Amino acid sequence: KLYNFLCKWLGNTMEGRIDKCQESGLELWRSLSDEFDSQAAQMLNAKMKLYQNPVRARGMDDLEHKFNKWEQLDRELGAGGSEFSVPDITKSIALALLVPHEVEQQFIAAPEGSLKTYQQQIAYVRQRITDDKARSMSAKTLRQANTINEVGTEQPRAVDEQ
C-alpha cells in the first residue's frame, strides 16, 4: 500500500527511481528520504553562507527588511541542529557586515564594553530600527498635519462680503 501511495503521489516525475525499488514501498521511501536529507544539508550549507556573508543595508530604511531576513536565516539554521549552530562571534561579524556603515562605526566607536558583545549589538540594531520607524512615522504625521493646515488656512469670509 505504501508503494502504491508513493507512486500515485510522485506521479511520473520519478519513474526511474520507482522502477528500481521493485514494488517495495519501504525501499522507495528510504530512497526518497536519503535524497531529501542530502538536499536538506545542501540547503543548510547555502543558508549558512548567506547568513555569514549578508548583503549590507544601504541605509536605515533598507535595514529592517534585510535584518528580518537575516534573523529568519538564523532561526532556520538553528532548526538544523547543533552542526549548524553559529557562535556569537560569527554572528557579531556577520551583523557588522549587514548593518549600514554608520551603525558599524557605532559598534567600533562605542565606549569599551557597551557594544562589544553580540547581544548588545543586536539590541542596539533593534533599537535603531524602532527609533527610525518612529521618526519616519512622526515625520509623515507632521507632513499630513501641515497639509491639512495649509488647506484650512483660508479664513471664511464674512456673510456681508458674500
Side-chain angles (χ1 to χ4, degrees):
K1 288 183 179 183
L2 177 62
Y3 178 79
N4 291 333
F5 169 77
L6 290 173
C7 289
K8 198 176 255 187
W9 183 62
L10 293 171
N12 296 330
T13 59
M14 298 187 167
E15 286 180 353
R17 176 155 308 146
I18 291 170
D19 292 341
K20 287 180 190 176
C21 293
Q22 303 165 351
E23 298 189 22
S24 170
L26 188 57
E27 186 57 37
L28 179 57
W29 180 259
R30 190 175 300 127
S31 172
L32 292 170
S33 178
D34 288 347
E35 181 176 327
F36 178 76
D37 287 345
S38 171
Q39 288 177 355
Q42 290 172 349
M43 286 297 292
L44 284 171
N45 282 331
K47 287 178 181 183
M48 180 65 83
K49 288 177 185 176
L50 288 173
Y51 182 79
Q52 290 178 346
N53 299 302
V55 175
R56 185 178 298 276
R58 294 185 193 128
M60 291 306 295
D61 54 333
D62 187 32
L63 179 60
E64 182 178 12
H65 175 70
K66 289 186 177 178
F67 180 74
N68 288 341
K69 287 177 67 175
W70 185 75
E71 282 196 309
Q72 179 60 36
L73 278 173
D74 186 35
R75 287 187 289 276
E76 290 171 8
L77 289 170
S82 62
E83 293 177 15
F84 290 92
S85 63
V86 181
D88 281 354
I89 186 68
T90 305
K91 290 180 180 184
S92 181
I93 293 167
L95 182 61
L97 294 173
L98 173 72
V99 297
H101 286 291
E102 66 190 64
V103 176
E104 182 184 16
Q105 290 305 314
Q106 289 295 318
F107 290 168
I108 296 167
E112 189 62 37
S114 64
L115 288 177
K116 299 304 176 198
T117 69
Y118 171 70
Q119 295 305 323
Q120 292 168 332
Q121 291 172 348
I122 202 88
Y124 177 74
V125 170
R126 286 185 181 126
Q127 186 62 48
R128 287 287 305 262
I129 290 170
T130 302
D131 291 348
D132 187 66
K133 283 174 67 174
R135 250 189 313 278
S136 176
M137 288 177 66
S138 176
K140 183 178 179 183
T141 303
L142 186 59
R143 278 194 306 272
Q144 287 175 346
N146 287 339
T147 303
I148 291 169
N149 287 338
E150 288 171 9
V151 170
T153 55
E154 185 178 316
Q155 295 296 320
R157 292 186 303 208
V159 174
D160 58 335
E161 290 177 14
Q162 295 178 6

